[in-house]
Amino acid sequence: MPLPKAELHLHIEGTLEPGQAFELAARNGVDLPYADAEELRRAYRFEDLQSFLDLYYALMTVLRTERDFADLADAYLARAATQGVRHAEIFFDPQAHTRRGVELGTVVEGLWRALERSEAEHGVSTRLIMCFLRDEPAESALATLEAAGPHLDRITAVGLDSAEVGHPPVKFRAVYEAAAALGLRRVAHAGEEGPPAYITEALDVLGVERIDHGLRSLEDPALVRRLVRERIPLTLCPLSNVRLRTVESLAAHPLPAMLDAGLLCTVNSDDPAYFGGYAGDNFDAVRETLGLGEDRLRELARNSFLAAFLDDDEERRARYLAEVEAYTFS
Ligand code: HPA
Ligand code: ZN
């Protein structure tokens, strides 16, 4: 039995496996510029974040109907459950769909179909986080938040993703203020490829409660002291960092040093279909390559539930935390 954990950094569009991409392409009459799933999988080699994003957005053309989004989320949840995921907070990128003519309602209600059955079918509780694309204009993010109005009962938080460098958090001040006024929780990608200053800015200007990645935190000792003092969770994604070359190798990943510094780290998969593994695979990789012991692994699992948006269901959080403490490693 795998260690129970929450997944807090997962882009649902990044769970599109090559085989499923071909199935959906056939169902929707979309031509993919690859002979088959094997050839597509061989294209999953990246130089940096942008080279990944180019393929990630291109492949989304196969996602068109509510059923497609429901099938995508259902496949992820089934797979996550086998890796010990008990709770998943799932990102989606509405603008990546609305800009190619798929309505926001199709995306949210399709995902919701899978999410509302997830607990009964997979034993995984869920939350939905709507991300804004930071390389699109701030006005587009505001329009997206407005369009989400009828679906806000499905959405727990807003996030910020896509190309980071050159798109500092401050660009999204107004939309984050509007989201907070609507009662939405706030997270943002920061310090993945971008500088530690973007992490500070996301906290100060956007009022985020968690930092997605935060990989470059250690470059700024004052920031580290603050993140430790304020118990700001970081949602790290080790296999993603290796595939996007934000770290030289998994062995060189700063996770052990970050834990030693007292940071509230969690381990997540980001875009598992593209980066070689789901949440449990990321845990296995850091255990094997970084030599994390049982105490550290249990701490990572505990942190994932402490950092989860479960404030409306503290009983559930306590139950999950008890599962972590009761777990025996094999
Ligand atoms: N970084 C930024 N944006 C993203 C990512 C990522 O790893 N995955 C999907 N959108
Ligand atoms: Zn991400």
Side-chain angles (χ1 to χ4, degrees), residues 9 11 91 189 213 270-271:
H9 187 151
H11 302 266
F91 295 137
H189 283 52
H213 291 297
D270 209 3
D271 300 280

Side-chain angles (χ1 to χ4, degrees), residues 9 11 49 52-53 56-57 93 161-163 189 192 213 240 244 270-271 275:
H9 187 151
H11 302 266
L49 176 57
F52 153 70
L53 289 170
Y56 169 80
Y57 293 127
D93 285 328
D161 64 5
S162 202
H189 283 52
E192 180 186 17
H213 291 297
S240 162
L244 299 186
D270 209 3
D271 300 280
F275 299 152

